[in-house]
């Protein structure tokens, strides 16, 4: 048998399939509208436009309901009538003085409450014995409406400014205490243990760990309670008051002047919104590290 003299051909490895291009999870996922995705941030311009859009829509519906004759002016004044009444309040009735008195009462009562409530809240959040002593009573008083104290406050403090400041104080104090205590008590345990490891004493833990760590939360608590203080001042000014936005609203109610009533409510909202934005800006400036 004659052996085959032909050389064996070199074996060529089979061509492997080309790897498929990598597809990112974002491309594989179905397209979605980013602005409607949960927790998706939006630009500052879009936020401003959306916020203004609601106010425009609200005024438009209000105008249609009043100017169109669907609601009698006795029950709801139209936007032009409200603006006219507001101008008269400033031009003829010295409304700027009423605004100044209301602002003074709000910030006076609120600052008085904050001066006493923040230290007590820090103590309750830091030491459990202090919390056990004060927390039941503070929680009980937190549910008592500030308006229920007005008859007693009139007996104790009369009809002067102190009575109105105390109404706002009572409405704000207990809320601040509990919210500050919860904020301080929620401090990270690992930071506290690390401070002990580095040789810190109890006083140093409070001054260098608990208070600095809770400061942004305490500032946010004060911002929220300041908004509640604006609701208490109207209650305080409805009884036995000769000045303030609440007094003006009461007088306008007797005259069935819904334009002045609505204008007073809007002024309170504008001042409260401005103070809220100012508080936010101050918090961001003082505690910029909290957003990191």
């Amino acid at each position: 048998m004659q052996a085959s003299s032909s050389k064996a051909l070199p074996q060529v490895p089979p061509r492997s399939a080309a790897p498929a291009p990598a597809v990112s999870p974002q491309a594989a996922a179905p397209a979605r509208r980013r602005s409607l995705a949960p927790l998706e941030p939006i630009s500052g311009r879009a936020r401003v436009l959306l916020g203004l859009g609601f106010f425009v829509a609200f005024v438009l519906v209000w105008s249609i309901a009043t100017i169109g004759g669907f609601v009698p002016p006795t029950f709801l004044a139209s936007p032009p009538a409200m603006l006219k009444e507001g101008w008269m309040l400033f031009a003829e009735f010295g409304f700027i003085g009423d605004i100044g008195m209301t602002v003074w009462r709000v910030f006076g009562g609120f600052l008085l409450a904050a001066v006493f409530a923040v230290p007590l809240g820090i103590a309750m959040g830091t030491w459990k014995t202090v919390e056990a002593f004060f927390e039941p009573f503070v929680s009980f008083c937190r549910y008592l409406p500030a308006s229920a104290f007005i008859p007693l406050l009139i007996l104790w403090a009369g009809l002067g400014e102190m009575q109105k400041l105390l109404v706002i104080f009572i409405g704000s104090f207990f809320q601040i205490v509990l919210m500050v205590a919860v904020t301080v008590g929620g401090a990270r345990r690992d930071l506290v243990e690390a401070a002990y490891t580095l040789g810190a004493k109890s006083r140093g833990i409070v001054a260098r760990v608990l208070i600095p760590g809770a400061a942004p939360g305490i500032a946010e608590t004060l911002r929220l309670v300041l908004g509640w203080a604006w609701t208490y001042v109207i209650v305080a000014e409805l009884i036995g008051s000769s000045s303030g936005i609440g007094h003006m609203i009461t007088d306008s109610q007797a005259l069935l002047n819904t334009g002045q009533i609505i204008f007073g409510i809007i002024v309170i909202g504008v001042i409260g919104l401005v103070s809220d934005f100012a508080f936010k800006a101050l918090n961001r400036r003082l505690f910029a590290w909290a957003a990191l």
Side-chain angles (χ1 to χ4, degrees):
M1 179 181 298
Q2 185 177 3
S4 176
S5 59
S6 62
K7 296 181 179 181
L9 297 175
Q11 295 183 357
V12 179
R15 180 178 296 177
S16 59
V23 180
S24 62
Q26 291 81 1
R32 64 182 181 181
R33 300 181 64 178
R34 303 290 295 182
S35 60
L36 299 179
L39 303 181
E40 188 72 23
I42 61 175
S43 64
R45 180 182 179 184
R47 182 178 297 276
V48 172
L49 291 177
L50 288 173
L52 292 177
F54 178 84
F55 282 101
V56 172
F58 178 81
V59 173
L60 181 62
V61 174
W62 177 15
S63 301
I64 294 174
T66 53
I67 299 176
F70 297 99
V71 179
T74 305
F75 297 100
L76 183 63
S78 64
M82 181 270 300
L83 292 176
K84 180 180 178 181
E85 294 294 339
W87 172 256
M88 289 181 59
L89 286 173
F90 283 109
E92 300 181 13
F93 299 103
F95 188 53
I96 190 67
D98 291 324
I99 294 176
M101 288 302 300
T102 297
V103 172
W104 143 249
R105 289 162 182 164
V106 170
F107 283 94
F110 171 76
L111 291 176
L112 186 65
V115 165
F116 290 97
V118 171
L120 180 57
I122 293 174
M124 290 175 58
T126 302
W127 295 285
K128 297 304 178 183
T129 52
V130 178
E131 181 184 27
F133 183 76
F134 284 104
E135 196 272 337
F137 178 75
V138 174
S139 296
F140 166 76
C141 293
R142 184 169 67 96
Y143 290 99
L144 300 179
S147 57
F149 289 91
I150 291 180
L152 286 176
L153 294 177
I154 291 176
L155 291 175
W156 296 340
L159 296 175
E161 293 302 312
M162 182 56 65
Q163 175 258 333
K164 298 168 181 59
L165 294 178
L166 289 177
V167 171
I168 300 172
F169 174 88
I170 292 173
S172 305
F173 176 81
F174 301 105
Q175 310 292 339
I176 295 175
V177 169
L178 284 183
M179 295 174 72
V180 170
V182 170
T183 301
V184 175
R188 291 172 51 183
R189 300 295 302 176
D190 57 339
L191 296 180
V192 176
E193 296 299 332
Y196 276 126
T197 303
L198 295 175
K201 304 300 182 182
S202 296
R203 185 175 180 179
I205 294 295
V206 177
R208 298 189 177 184
V209 178
L210 296 182
I211 294 179
I218 294 175
E220 186 67 13
T221 294
L222 295 177
R223 183 182 71 85
L224 294 175
V225 177
L226 177 60
W228 299 343
W230 278 98
T231 64
Y232 303 134
V233 71
I234 299 303
V235 175
E237 291 178 343
L238 289 179
I239 300 176
S241 179
S242 58
S243 61
I245 300 176
H247 169 70
M248 184 277 294
I249 291 176
T250 303
D251 288 349
S252 300
Q253 178 192 11
L255 300 174
L256 298 179
N257 192 332
T258 57
Q260 293 184 1
I261 295 174
I262 296 172
F263 186 80
I265 294 173
I266 291 177
V267 168
I268 293 173
V270 170
I271 298 175
L273 189 63
V274 171
S275 63
D276 188 76
F277 284 160
F279 223 127
K280 280 184 179 180
L282 180 62
N283 289 351
R284 284 195 297 265
R285 186 176 182 86
L286 294 177
F287 310 110
W289 50 267
L292 300 178

PDB file of all heavy atoms in Angstrom, residues 48-83:
ATOM      1  N   VAL A  48     -39.091  76.724  39.161  1.00  0.00           N
ATOM      2  CA  VAL A  48     -39.707  78.050  39.259  1.00  0.00           C
ATOM      3  C   VAL A  48     -40.906  78.161  38.327  1.00  0.00           C
ATOM      4  O   VAL A  48     -41.972  78.672  38.704  1.00  0.00           O
ATOM      5  CB  VAL A  48     -38.660  79.137  38.946  1.00  0.00           C
ATOM      6  CG1 VAL A  48     -39.328  80.504  38.844  1.00  0.00           C
ATOM      7  CG2 VAL A  48     -37.580  79.157  40.016  1.00  0.00           C
ATOM      8  N   LEU A  49     -40.757  77.664  37.101  1.00  0.00           N
ATOM      9  CA  LEU A  49     -41.850  77.758  36.140  1.00  0.00           C
ATOM     10  C   LEU A  49     -43.058  76.942  36.584  1.00  0.00           C
ATOM     11  O   LEU A  49     -44.205  77.387  36.448  1.00  0.00           O
ATOM     12  CB  LEU A  49     -41.374  77.297  34.765  1.00  0.00           C
ATOM     13  CG  LEU A  49     -40.353  78.216  34.064  1.00  0.00           C
ATOM     14  CD1 LEU A  49     -39.907  77.602  32.742  1.00  0.00           C
ATOM     15  CD2 LEU A  49     -40.937  79.601  33.831  1.00  0.00           C
ATOM     16  N   LEU A  50     -42.820  75.754  37.124  1.00  0.00           N
ATOM     17  CA  LEU A  50     -43.939  74.933  37.594  1.00  0.00           C
ATOM     18  C   LEU A  50     -44.638  75.589  38.782  1.00  0.00           C
ATOM     19  O   LEU A  50     -45.870  75.586  38.875  1.00  0.00           O
ATOM     20  CB  LEU A  50     -43.434  73.543  37.974  1.00  0.00           C
ATOM     21  CG  LEU A  50     -43.017  72.634  36.811  1.00  0.00           C
ATOM     22  CD1 LEU A  50     -42.376  71.355  37.329  1.00  0.00           C
ATOM     23  CD2 LEU A  50     -44.218  72.304  35.933  1.00  0.00           C
ATOM     24  N   GLY A  51     -43.851  76.163  39.702  1.00  0.00           N
ATOM     25  CA  GLY A  51     -44.456  76.832  40.845  1.00  0.00           C
ATOM     26  C   GLY A  51     -45.286  78.034  40.439  1.00  0.00           C
ATOM     27  O   GLY A  51     -46.406  78.228  40.930  1.00  0.00           O
ATOM     28  N   LEU A  52     -44.747  78.844  39.518  1.00  0.00           N
ATOM     29  CA  LEU A  52     -45.516  79.999  39.039  1.00  0.00           C
ATOM     30  C   LEU A  52     -46.731  79.560  38.229  1.00  0.00           C
ATOM     31  O   LEU A  52     -47.772  80.224  38.250  1.00  0.00           O
ATOM     32  CB  LEU A  52     -44.620  80.891  38.183  1.00  0.00           C
ATOM     33  CG  LEU A  52     -43.493  81.619  38.922  1.00  0.00           C
ATOM     34  CD1 LEU A  52     -42.637  82.406  37.944  1.00  0.00           C
ATOM     35  CD2 LEU A  52     -44.050  82.544  40.000  1.00  0.00           C
ATOM     36  N   GLY A  53     -46.596  78.446  37.519  1.00  0.00           N
ATOM     37  CA  GLY A  53     -47.723  77.959  36.720  1.00  0.00           C
ATOM     38  C   GLY A  53     -48.937  77.636  37.557  1.00  0.00           C
ATOM     39  O   GLY A  53     -50.074  77.895  37.137  1.00  0.00           O
ATOM     40  N   PHE A  54     -48.709  77.079  38.760  1.00  0.00           N
ATOM     41  CA  PHE A  54     -49.863  76.775  39.615  1.00  0.00           C
ATOM     42  C   PHE A  54     -50.559  78.056  40.051  1.00  0.00           C
ATOM     43  O   PHE A  54     -51.793  78.125  40.054  1.00  0.00           O
ATOM     44  CB  PHE A  54     -49.421  75.975  40.836  1.00  0.00           C
ATOM     45  CG  PHE A  54     -50.559  75.666  41.775  1.00  0.00           C
ATOM     46  CD1 PHE A  54     -51.375  74.569  41.546  1.00  0.00           C
ATOM     47  CD2 PHE A  54     -50.828  76.486  42.861  1.00  0.00           C
ATOM     48  CE1 PHE A  54     -52.432  74.289  42.399  1.00  0.00           C
ATOM     49  CE2 PHE A  54     -51.884  76.220  43.713  1.00  0.00           C
ATOM     50  CZ  PHE A  54     -52.680  75.113  43.477  1.00  0.00           C
ATOM     51  N   PHE A  55     -49.776  79.084  40.429  1.00  0.00           N
ATOM     52  CA  PHE A  55     -50.392  80.343  40.847  1.00  0.00           C
ATOM     53  C   PHE A  55     -51.181  80.972  39.701  1.00  0.00           C
ATOM     54  O   PHE A  55     -52.273  81.524  39.911  1.00  0.00           O
ATOM     55  CB  PHE A  55     -49.321  81.311  41.352  1.00  0.00           C
ATOM     56  CG  PHE A  55     -48.843  81.028  42.739  1.00  0.00           C
ATOM     57  CD1 PHE A  55     -47.641  80.369  42.958  1.00  0.00           C
ATOM     58  CD2 PHE A  55     -49.591  81.405  43.834  1.00  0.00           C
ATOM     59  CE1 PHE A  55     -47.195  80.097  44.244  1.00  0.00           C
ATOM     60  CE2 PHE A  55     -49.158  81.151  45.126  1.00  0.00           C
ATOM     61  CZ  PHE A  55     -47.954  80.489  45.331  1.00  0.00           C
ATOM     62  N   VAL A  56     -50.641  80.909  38.507  1.00  0.00           N
ATOM     63  CA  VAL A  56     -51.350  81.461  37.351  1.00  0.00           C
ATOM     64  C   VAL A  56     -52.665  80.717  37.136  1.00  0.00           C
ATOM     65  O   VAL A  56     -53.718  81.336  36.892  1.00  0.00           O
ATOM     66  CB  VAL A  56     -50.461  81.402  36.105  1.00  0.00           C
ATOM     67  CG1 VAL A  56     -51.256  81.777  34.857  1.00  0.00           C
ATOM     68  CG2 VAL A  56     -49.255  82.329  36.265  1.00  0.00           C
ATOM     69  N   ALA A  57     -52.619  79.395  37.207  1.00  0.00           N
ATOM     70  CA  ALA A  57     -53.844  78.605  37.018  1.00  0.00           C
ATOM     71  C   ALA A  57     -54.862  78.897  38.119  1.00  0.00           C
ATOM     72  O   ALA A  57     -56.070  78.993  37.860  1.00  0.00           O
ATOM     73  CB  ALA A  57     -53.501  77.117  36.993  1.00  0.00           C
ATOM     74  N   PHE A  58     -54.377  79.063  39.357  1.00  0.00           N
ATOM     75  CA  PHE A  58     -55.280  79.350  40.477  1.00  0.00           C
ATOM     76  C   PHE A  58     -55.986  80.685  40.274  1.00  0.00           C
ATOM     77  O   PHE A  58     -57.213  80.791  40.448  1.00  0.00           O
ATOM     78  CB  PHE A  58     -54.486  79.358  41.780  1.00  0.00           C
ATOM     79  CG  PHE A  58     -55.297  79.682  42.993  1.00  0.00           C
ATOM     80  CD1 PHE A  58     -56.070  78.710  43.606  1.00  0.00           C
ATOM     81  CD2 PHE A  58     -55.304  80.961  43.524  1.00  0.00           C
ATOM     82  CE1 PHE A  58     -56.833  79.002  44.723  1.00  0.00           C
ATOM     83  CE2 PHE A  58     -56.059  81.273  44.636  1.00  0.00           C
ATOM     84  CZ  PHE A  58     -56.830  80.289  45.239  1.00  0.00           C
ATOM     85  N   VAL A  59     -55.228  81.726  39.903  1.00  0.00           N
ATOM     86  CA  VAL A  59     -55.829  83.047  39.684  1.00  0.00           C
ATOM     87  C   VAL A  59     -56.779  83.013  38.497  1.00  0.00           C
ATOM     88  O   VAL A  59     -57.829  83.681  38.500  1.00  0.00           O
ATOM     89  CB  VAL A  59     -54.722  84.107  39.487  1.00  0.00           C
ATOM     90  CG1 VAL A  59     -55.320  85.445  39.100  1.00  0.00           C
ATOM     91  CG2 VAL A  59     -53.889  84.243  40.749  1.00  0.00           C
ATOM     92  N   LEU A  60     -56.450  82.225  37.481  1.00  0.00           N
ATOM     93  CA  LEU A  60     -57.328  82.121  36.318  1.00  0.00           C
ATOM     94  C   LEU A  60     -58.676  81.509  36.700  1.00  0.00           C
ATOM     95  O   LEU A  60     -59.742  82.022  36.312  1.00  0.00           O
ATOM     96  CB  LEU A  60     -56.642  81.290  35.236  1.00  0.00           C
ATOM     97  CG  LEU A  60     -57.430  81.095  33.936  1.00  0.00           C
ATOM     98  CD1 LEU A  60     -57.691  82.443  33.268  1.00  0.00           C
ATOM     99  CD2 LEU A  60     -56.686  80.157  32.988  1.00  0.00           C
ATOM    100  N   VAL A  61     -58.650  80.431  37.460  1.00  0.00           N
ATOM    101  CA  VAL A  61     -59.907  79.811  37.904  1.00  0.00           C
ATOM    102  C   VAL A  61     -60.677  80.756  38.809  1.00  0.00           C
ATOM    103  O   VAL A  61     -61.907  80.879  38.711  1.00  0.00           O
ATOM    104  CB  VAL A  61     -59.603  78.475  38.621  1.00  0.00           C
ATOM    105  CG1 VAL A  61     -60.873  77.888  39.231  1.00  0.00           C
ATOM    106  CG2 VAL A  61     -58.986  77.478  37.648  1.00  0.00           C
ATOM    107  N   TRP A  62     -59.971  81.429  39.690  1.00  0.00           N
ATOM    108  CA  TRP A  62     -60.604  82.406  40.582  1.00  0.00           C
ATOM    109  C   TRP A  62     -61.270  83.519  39.771  1.00  0.00           C
ATOM    110  O   TRP A  62     -62.412  83.925  40.069  1.00  0.00           O
ATOM    111  CB  TRP A  62     -59.537  82.953  41.518  1.00  0.00           C
ATOM    112  CG  TRP A  62     -59.972  84.025  42.465  1.00  0.00           C
ATOM    113  CD1 TRP A  62     -61.244  84.394  42.794  1.00  0.00           C
ATOM    114  CD2 TRP A  62     -59.097  84.882  43.217  1.00  0.00           C
ATOM    115  NE1 TRP A  62     -61.232  85.425  43.693  1.00  0.00           N
ATOM    116  CE2 TRP A  62     -59.932  85.740  43.976  1.00  0.00           C
ATOM    117  CE3 TRP A  62     -57.715  84.997  43.316  1.00  0.00           C
ATOM    118  CZ2 TRP A  62     -59.401  86.705  44.824  1.00  0.00           C
ATOM    119  CZ3 TRP A  62     -57.190  85.952  44.175  1.00  0.00           C
ATOM    120  CH2 TRP A  62     -58.025  86.797  44.916  1.00  0.00           C
ATOM    121  N   SER A  63     -60.610  84.016  38.756  1.00  0.00           N
ATOM    122  CA  SER A  63     -61.171  85.088  37.931  1.00  0.00           C
ATOM    123  C   SER A  63     -62.404  84.615  37.169  1.00  0.00           C
ATOM    124  O   SER A  63     -63.406  85.342  37.074  1.00  0.00           O
ATOM    125  CB  SER A  63     -60.105  85.595  36.950  1.00  0.00           C
ATOM    126  OG  SER A  63     -58.968  86.080  37.630  1.00  0.00           O
ATOM    127  N   ILE A  64     -62.340  83.425  36.618  1.00  0.00           N
ATOM    128  CA  ILE A  64     -63.490  82.894  35.884  1.00  0.00           C
ATOM    129  C   ILE A  64     -64.697  82.747  36.804  1.00  0.00           C
ATOM    130  O   ILE A  64     -65.836  83.078  36.443  1.00  0.00           O
ATOM    131  CB  ILE A  64     -63.127  81.555  35.219  1.00  0.00           C
ATOM    132  CG1 ILE A  64     -62.068  81.782  34.127  1.00  0.00           C
ATOM    133  CG2 ILE A  64     -64.353  80.885  34.643  1.00  0.00           C
ATOM    134  CD1 ILE A  64     -61.551  80.495  33.518  1.00  0.00           C
ATOM    135  N   ALA A  65     -64.441  82.257  38.041  1.00  0.00           N
ATOM    136  CA  ALA A  65     -65.551  82.021  38.967  1.00  0.00           C
ATOM    137  C   ALA A  65     -66.186  83.317  39.439  1.00  0.00           C
ATOM    138  O   ALA A  65     -67.415  83.377  39.644  1.00  0.00           O
ATOM    139  CB  ALA A  65     -65.058  81.208  40.166  1.00  0.00           C
ATOM    140  N   THR A  66     -65.401  84.378  39.603  1.00  0.00           N
ATOM    141  CA  THR A  66     -65.933  85.633  40.154  1.00  0.00           C
ATOM    142  C   THR A  66     -66.356  86.611  39.071  1.00  0.00           C
ATOM    143  O   THR A  66     -67.482  87.106  39.079  1.00  0.00           O
ATOM    144  CB  THR A  66     -64.880  86.280  41.063  1.00  0.00           C
ATOM    145  OG1 THR A  66     -63.631  86.402  40.348  1.00  0.00           O
ATOM    146  CG2 THR A  66     -64.649  85.439  42.303  1.00  0.00           C
ATOM    147  N   ILE A  67     -65.468  86.908  38.144  1.00  0.00           N
ATOM    148  CA  ILE A  67     -65.806  87.847  37.081  1.00  0.00           C
ATOM    149  C   ILE A  67     -66.887  87.272  36.174  1.00  0.00           C
ATOM    150  O   ILE A  67     -67.750  87.999  35.654  1.00  0.00           O
ATOM    151  CB  ILE A  67     -64.550  88.215  36.266  1.00  0.00           C
ATOM    152  CG1 ILE A  67     -63.518  88.889  37.177  1.00  0.00           C
ATOM    153  CG2 ILE A  67     -64.890  89.131  35.101  1.00  0.00           C
ATOM    154  CD1 ILE A  67     -62.215  89.216  36.498  1.00  0.00           C
ATOM    155  N   GLY A  68     -66.883  85.955  36.009  1.00  0.00           N
ATOM    156  CA  GLY A  68     -67.911  85.322  35.183  1.00  0.00           C
ATOM    157  C   GLY A  68     -69.273  85.253  35.837  1.00  0.00           C
ATOM    158  O   GLY A  68     -70.241  84.836  35.200  1.00  0.00           O
ATOM    159  N   GLY A  69     -69.382  85.623  37.099  1.00  0.00           N
ATOM    160  CA  GLY A  69     -70.673  85.655  37.774  1.00  0.00           C
ATOM    161  C   GLY A  69     -71.103  84.340  38.386  1.00  0.00           C
ATOM    162  O   GLY A  69     -72.251  84.211  38.835  1.00  0.00           O
ATOM    163  N   PHE A  70     -70.209  83.366  38.448  1.00  0.00           N
ATOM    164  CA  PHE A  70     -70.585  82.078  39.035  1.00  0.00           C
ATOM    165  C   PHE A  70     -70.643  82.145  40.558  1.00  0.00           C
ATOM    166  O   PHE A  70     -71.343  81.354  41.186  1.00  0.00           O
ATOM    167  CB  PHE A  70     -69.588  81.002  38.604  1.00  0.00           C
ATOM    168  CG  PHE A  70     -69.565  80.753  37.123  1.00  0.00           C
ATOM    169  CD1 PHE A  70     -68.587  81.320  36.322  1.00  0.00           C
ATOM    170  CD2 PHE A  70     -70.541  79.962  36.526  1.00  0.00           C
ATOM    171  CE1 PHE A  70     -68.563  81.102  34.954  1.00  0.00           C
ATOM    172  CE2 PHE A  70     -70.524  79.743  35.163  1.00  0.00           C
ATOM    173  CZ  PHE A  70     -69.542  80.312  34.373  1.00  0.00           C
ATOM    174  N   VAL A  71     -69.881  83.058  41.171  1.00  0.00           N
ATOM    175  CA  VAL A  71     -69.872  83.221  42.626  1.00  0.00           C
ATOM    176  C   VAL A  71     -70.192  84.675  42.935  1.00  0.00           C
ATOM    177  O   VAL A  71     -69.563  85.583  42.381  1.00  0.00           O
ATOM    178  CB  VAL A  71     -68.498  82.849  43.228  1.00  0.00           C
ATOM    179  CG1 VAL A  71     -68.511  83.053  44.735  1.00  0.00           C
ATOM    180  CG2 VAL A  71     -68.133  81.415  42.885  1.00  0.00           C
ATOM    181  N   PRO A  72     -71.165  84.960  43.801  1.00  0.00           N
ATOM    182  CA  PRO A  72     -71.500  86.356  44.128  1.00  0.00           C
ATOM    183  C   PRO A  72     -70.331  87.052  44.810  1.00  0.00           C
ATOM    184  O   PRO A  72     -69.580  86.433  45.584  1.00  0.00           O
ATOM    185  CB  PRO A  72     -72.702  86.210  45.082  1.00  0.00           C
ATOM    186  CG  PRO A  72     -73.237  84.845  44.829  1.00  0.00           C
ATOM    187  CD  PRO A  72     -72.079  84.001  44.443  1.00  0.00           C
ATOM    188  N   PRO A  73     -70.141  88.356  44.568  1.00  0.00           N
ATOM    189  CA  PRO A  73     -69.029  89.089  45.197  1.00  0.00           C
ATOM    190  C   PRO A  73     -69.138  89.163  46.704  1.00  0.00           C
ATOM    191  O   PRO A  73     -68.137  89.412  47.384  1.00  0.00           O
ATOM    192  CB  PRO A  73     -69.121  90.475  44.554  1.00  0.00           C
ATOM    193  CG  PRO A  73     -70.511  90.587  44.032  1.00  0.00           C
ATOM    194  CD  PRO A  73     -70.917  89.194  43.647  1.00  0.00           C
ATOM    195  N   THR A  74     -70.350  88.974  47.259  1.00  0.00           N
ATOM    196  CA  THR A  74     -70.491  88.987  48.713  1.00  0.00           C
ATOM    197  C   THR A  74     -69.716  87.840  49.343  1.00  0.00           C
ATOM    198  O   THR A  74     -69.185  87.964  50.450  1.00  0.00           O
ATOM    199  CB  THR A  74     -71.976  88.897  49.106  1.00  0.00           C
ATOM    200  OG1 THR A  74     -72.687  89.959  48.462  1.00  0.00           O
ATOM    201  CG2 THR A  74     -72.152  88.989  50.615  1.00  0.00           C
ATOM    202  N   PHE A  75     -69.644  86.709  48.641  1.00  0.00           N
ATOM    203  CA  PHE A  75     -68.956  85.531  49.166  1.00  0.00           C
ATOM    204  C   PHE A  75     -67.494  85.458  48.731  1.00  0.00           C
ATOM    205  O   PHE A  75     -66.662  84.912  49.454  1.00  0.00           O
ATOM    206  CB  PHE A  75     -69.686  84.263  48.720  1.00  0.00           C
ATOM    207  CG  PHE A  75     -71.075  84.148  49.253  1.00  0.00           C
ATOM    208  CD1 PHE A  75     -72.165  84.476  48.465  1.00  0.00           C
ATOM    209  CD2 PHE A  75     -71.308  83.727  50.553  1.00  0.00           C
ATOM    210  CE1 PHE A  75     -73.462  84.379  48.951  1.00  0.00           C
ATOM    211  CE2 PHE A  75     -72.591  83.623  51.053  1.00  0.00           C
ATOM    212  CZ  PHE A  75     -73.681  83.957  50.249  1.00  0.00           C
ATOM    213  N   LEU A  76     -67.179  85.998  47.585  1.00  0.00           N
ATOM    214  CA  LEU A  76     -65.802  85.924  47.085  1.00  0.00           C
ATOM    215  C   LEU A  76     -65.552  87.090  46.131  1.00  0.00           C
ATOM    216  O   LEU A  76     -66.192  87.180  45.078  1.00  0.00           O
ATOM    217  CB  LEU A  76     -65.547  84.592  46.372  1.00  0.00           C
ATOM    218  CG  LEU A  76     -64.125  84.361  45.859  1.00  0.00           C
ATOM    219  CD1 LEU A  76     -63.139  84.315  47.025  1.00  0.00           C
ATOM    220  CD2 LEU A  76     -64.057  83.062  45.053  1.00  0.00           C
ATOM    221  N   ALA A  77     -64.635  87.968  46.518  1.00  0.00           N
ATOM    222  CA  ALA A  77     -64.295  89.111  45.664  1.00  0.00           C
ATOM    223  C   ALA A  77     -63.426  88.650  44.499  1.00  0.00           C
ATOM    224  O   ALA A  77     -62.688  87.670  44.599  1.00  0.00           O
ATOM    225  CB  ALA A  77     -63.569  90.178  46.475  1.00  0.00           C
ATOM    226  N   SER A  78     -63.506  89.369  43.405  1.00  0.00           N
ATOM    227  CA  SER A  78     -62.687  89.055  42.238  1.00  0.00           C
ATOM    228  C   SER A  78     -61.266  89.557  42.461  1.00  0.00           C
ATOM    229  O   SER A  78     -61.020  90.415  43.324  1.00  0.00           O
ATOM    230  CB  SER A  78     -63.279  89.712  40.993  1.00  0.00           C
ATOM    231  OG  SER A  78     -63.243  91.127  41.123  1.00  0.00           O
ATOM    232  N   PRO A  79     -60.300  89.047  41.700  1.00  0.00           N
ATOM    233  CA  PRO A  79     -58.919  89.542  41.858  1.00  0.00           C
ATOM    234  C   PRO A  79     -58.783  91.051  41.690  1.00  0.00           C
ATOM    235  O   PRO A  79     -58.092  91.690  42.499  1.00  0.00           O
ATOM    236  CB  PRO A  79     -58.157  88.758  40.790  1.00  0.00           C
ATOM    237  CG  PRO A  79     -58.922  87.486  40.640  1.00  0.00           C
ATOM    238  CD  PRO A  79     -60.352  87.872  40.812  1.00  0.00           C
ATOM    239  N   PRO A  80     -59.406  91.704  40.671  1.00  0.00           N
ATOM    240  CA  PRO A  80     -59.284  93.166  40.603  1.00  0.00           C
ATOM    241  C   PRO A  80     -59.883  93.874  41.813  1.00  0.00           C
ATOM    242  O   PRO A  80     -59.303  94.853  42.317  1.00  0.00           O
ATOM    243  CB  PRO A  80     -60.049  93.521  39.317  1.00  0.00           C
ATOM    244  CG  PRO A  80     -60.001  92.279  38.489  1.00  0.00           C
ATOM    245  CD  PRO A  80     -60.077  91.161  39.476  1.00  0.00           C
ATOM    246  N   ALA A  81     -61.032  93.402  42.305  1.00  0.00           N
ATOM    247  CA  ALA A  81     -61.640  94.024  43.483  1.00  0.00           C
ATOM    248  C   ALA A  81     -60.762  93.832  44.714  1.00  0.00           C
ATOM    249  O   ALA A  81     -60.643  94.738  45.557  1.00  0.00           O
ATOM    250  CB  ALA A  81     -63.035  93.437  43.720  1.00  0.00           C
ATOM    251  N   MET A  82     -60.143  92.658  44.836  1.00  0.00           N
ATOM    252  CA  MET A  82     -59.254  92.403  45.964  1.00  0.00           C
ATOM    253  C   MET A  82     -58.052  93.344  45.937  1.00  0.00           C
ATOM    254  O   MET A  82     -57.662  93.907  46.968  1.00  0.00           O
ATOM    255  CB  MET A  82     -58.800  90.941  45.924  1.00  0.00           C
ATOM    256  CG  MET A  82     -57.877  90.530  47.058  1.00  0.00           C
ATOM    257  SD  MET A  82     -56.121  90.771  46.664  1.00  0.00           S
ATOM    258  CE  MET A  82     -55.930  89.722  45.242  1.00  0.00           C
ATOM    259  N   LEU A  83     -57.466  93.549  44.755  1.00  0.00           N
ATOM    260  CA  LEU A  83     -56.325  94.458  44.639  1.00  0.00           C
ATOM    261  C   LEU A  83     -56.730  95.902  44.955  1.00  0.00           C
ATOM    262  O   LEU A  83     -55.962  96.653  45.576  1.00  0.00           O
ATOM    263  CB  LEU A  83     -55.730  94.361  43.234  1.00  0.00           C
ATOM    264  CG  LEU A  83     -55.047  93.031  42.883  1.00  0.00           C
ATOM    265  CD1 LEU A  83     -54.592  93.039  41.438  1.00  0.00           C
ATOM    266  CD2 LEU A  83     -53.869  92.770  43.812  1.00  0.00           C
TER     267      LEU A  83
END
